[in-house]
Amino acid sequence: MTKKIFLSALIGMLIIFAVACGNEQNKKQIVPVDSQDRYKSVYSKSVFLGDSLLTGLADELEDSNVISNAGATALFSLKEVDNIASKKPENVFILLGSDDLLWPVDNPVEESLMNYTKLIEEIKGKLPNVKVYVLSVPPVTKEAMKVEPRYKNIPDYNKALEKMAATEKIDYIALSPIFEKHQNLYDKDGIHFTGNFYPLLLDHIENYFHSSKNNGEVRDGL
């Protein structure tokens, strides 16, 4: 009888010990650094302006840091200048052009860049100390290009965009390296992105700043 009581007590102690260890292990697993909170902190003084390609960015940043409108072009985005100015950002990142290429005009690239230039100048006029950055139009999949052949003009558009950025004395950030290093970022239409793209986008921009500093250029950073 004594042995049974002893064994029962021993088993009970082992169970308590195992549960305690399990709880301790669970506590250790619940402390990973929240990268989302880090992004919100890093980009707290930034505004992203763009079309539907930026919609998923609102899952990584505060809503107030993202202005994305489906079908937005450089021309339509002019109406957002006052909204941007009201937020008093230190940095404005612009991702436009994908919808501009589909605009039914004789020269969509020329038309877009004219309005893009006006957009940048109006933002600078409202916010003299803001730093404006233009992001290149991301590539689309081969399947998407078959459905919409006008996307074949993306490389030419990006060359013109980079030239315009140099003229306006602002930075041009190419996004093509993201797609060279990572696969399966596209949604079903081959144009928009899955949620995996947006942390990569934010990391890419942050790395651009670090790289610029290492090259000896004077920047305030994010």
Side-chain angles (χ1 to χ4, degrees), residues 73-82 115 118-120 122:
T73 62
L75 176 61
F76 292 159
S77 296
L78 285 165
K79 66 181 177 60
E80 297 289 358
V81 172
D82 286 338
N115 291 314
K118 186 176 180 182
L119 173 64
I120 291 166
E122 286 201 15

Side-chain angles (χ1 to χ4, degrees), residues 9-221:
L10 181 60
I11 291 170
M13 290 174 64
L14 289 173
I15 291 172
I16 292 170
F17 179 77
V19 170
C21 287
N23 288 339
E24 195 62 35
Q25 189 172 2
N26 288 337
K27 286 180 184 176
K28 291 178 181 177
Q29 291 173 349
I30 311 180
V31 249
V33 177
D34 192 335
S35 61
Q36 198 173 53
D37 286 344
R38 190 181 70 80
Y39 291 138
K40 288 178 180 179
S41 175
V42 169
Y43 291 95
S44 62
K45 297 178 180 178
S46 300
V47 166
F48 284 79
L49 171 68
D51 51 35
S52 57
L53 296 183
L54 280 184
T55 301
L57 195 58
D59 293 332
E60 303 296 333
L61 304 178
E62 299 290 354
D63 290 343
S64 58
N65 296 117
V66 183
I67 302 173
S68 64
N69 298 301
T73 62
L75 176 61
F76 292 159
S77 296
L78 285 165
K79 66 181 177 60
E80 297 289 358
V81 172
D82 286 338
N83 186 15
I84 294 170
S86 70
K87 299 175 186 296
K88 296 180 172 59
E90 293 182 3
N91 308 289
V92 175
F93 299 95
I94 307 176
L95 177 54
L96 291 168
S98 182
D99 290 304
D100 294 68
L101 288 171
L102 309 182
W103 198 241
V105 293
D106 292 337
N107 192 330
V109 174
E110 183 179 324
E111 181 83 10
S112 174
L113 269 295
M114 179 182 70
N115 291 314
Y116 217 135
T117 300
K118 186 176 180 182
L119 173 64
I120 291 166
E121 291 177 350
E122 286 201 15
I123 292 172
K124 285 180 172 181
K126 295 277 186 179
L127 299 164
N129 297 319
V130 76
K131 293 181 180 296
V132 180
Y133 304 84
V134 294
L135 310 180
S136 68
V137 176
V140 300
T141 63
K142 292 179 181 178
E143 291 74 20
M145 203 174 296
K146 288 178 183 177
V147 175
E148 180 44 83
R150 285 176 289 183
Y151 284 129
K152 72 179 186 298
N153 295 318
I154 288 176
D156 289 339
Y157 184 90
N158 283 334
K159 287 178 183 176
L161 187 63
E162 186 174 12
K163 186 176 179 181
M164 181 272 290
T167 301
E168 292 297 311
K169 294 181 172 55
I170 61 175
D171 285 33
Y172 168 86
I173 303 178
L175 302 185
S176 52
I178 298 176
F179 301 92
E180 292 167 4
K181 296 175 183 176
H182 303 276
Q183 305 297 319
N184 304 319
L185 297 178
Y186 291 96
D187 211 337
K188 293 179 181 178
D189 64 3
I191 301 167
H192 295 85
F193 306 108
T194 65
N196 296 332
F197 169 71
Y198 298 100
L200 294 173
L201 172 65
L202 296 175
D203 288 342
H204 179 70
I205 293 173
E206 196 174 356
N207 289 337
Y208 172 84
F209 276 84
H210 293 161
S211 174
S212 298
K213 287 178 179 177
N214 290 337
N215 287 336
E217 298 179 30
V218 179
R219 300 181 189 277
D220 293 336

